[in-house]
């Protein structure tokens, strides 16, 4: 298909095929599913490691889990920045400037980990 309307015709065919696939998939689901699904006792009860659930459904989370997650994301981002830096560092003309930029970046992260260590945030209690 070429011409001005050719791309629109291709788009229309793809949209029609996707709608047809959607209708066929949901129709097959309706035809193939059981008419009366089994509903044994306790099927809709929450499952908790094989034990009966005890207590309410609200539990307080401690802030240290979020701190650990934040620190993990922080150092994962550092690792993401270190790999391209190692590739660029080898190229001519990027030597001293690249080392200085990465040194500042690692120094800021080191200050953050030093602060967390001094405040005993990293100690699991």
């Amino acid at each position: 298909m070429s011409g001005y309307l050719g791309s629109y015709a291709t788009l229309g065919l793809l949209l029609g095929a996707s709608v047809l696939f959607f209708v066929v998939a949901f129709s097959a689901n309706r035809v193939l599913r059981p008419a009366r699904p089994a509903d044994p006792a306790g099927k809709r009860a929450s499952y908790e490691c094989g034990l009966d659930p005890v207590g309410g459904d609200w539990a307080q989370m401690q802030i240290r889990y979020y701190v650990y997650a934040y620190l993990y994301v922080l150092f994962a981002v550092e690792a993401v920045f270190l790999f391209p830096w190692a590739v660029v560092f080898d190229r001519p003309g990027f030597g001293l400037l690249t080392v200085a930029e990465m040194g500042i970046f690692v120094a800021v992260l080191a200050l953050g980990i030093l602060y967390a260590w001094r405040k005993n945030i990293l100690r699991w209690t």
Side-chain angles (χ1 to χ4, degrees):
M1 296 183 178
S2 62
Y4 179 73
L5 296 177
S7 58
Y8 289 110
T10 304
L11 178 64
L13 285 173
L14 286 173
L15 286 175
S18 62
V19 168
L20 181 67
F21 180 77
F22 180 79
V23 169
V24 167
F26 275 92
S27 299
N29 182 27
R30 183 172 292 262
V31 169
L32 297 175
R33 73 176 180 187
R36 292 179 159 262
D39 198 11
K43 181 175 181 179
R44 288 185 167 71
S46 58
Y47 180 72
E48 199 172 302
C49 299
L51 303 173
D52 291 332
V54 177
D57 58 350
W58 185 82
Q60 184 176 2
M61 292 287 291
Q62 295 186 4
I63 191 67
R64 76 170 63 110
Y65 299 126
Y66 297 108
V67 171
Y68 281 113
Y70 178 72
L71 288 173
Y72 170 76
V73 168
L74 183 73
F75 289 104
V77 168
E78 177 189 10
V80 166
F81 281 122
L82 282 175
F83 288 119
W85 172 77
V87 172
V88 170
F89 179 68
D90 193 28
R91 295 189 181 153
F94 288 100
L96 189 58
L97 180 64
T98 309
V99 170
E101 288 176 354
M102 192 50 62
I104 293 170
F105 180 71
V106 171
V108 168
L109 288 174
L111 284 174
I113 195 74
L114 181 66
Y115 175 79
W117 180 60
R118 295 283 291 181
K119 292 288 185 178
N120 287 330
I121 293 174
L122 301 176
R123 182 168 297 158
W124 192 265
T125 57

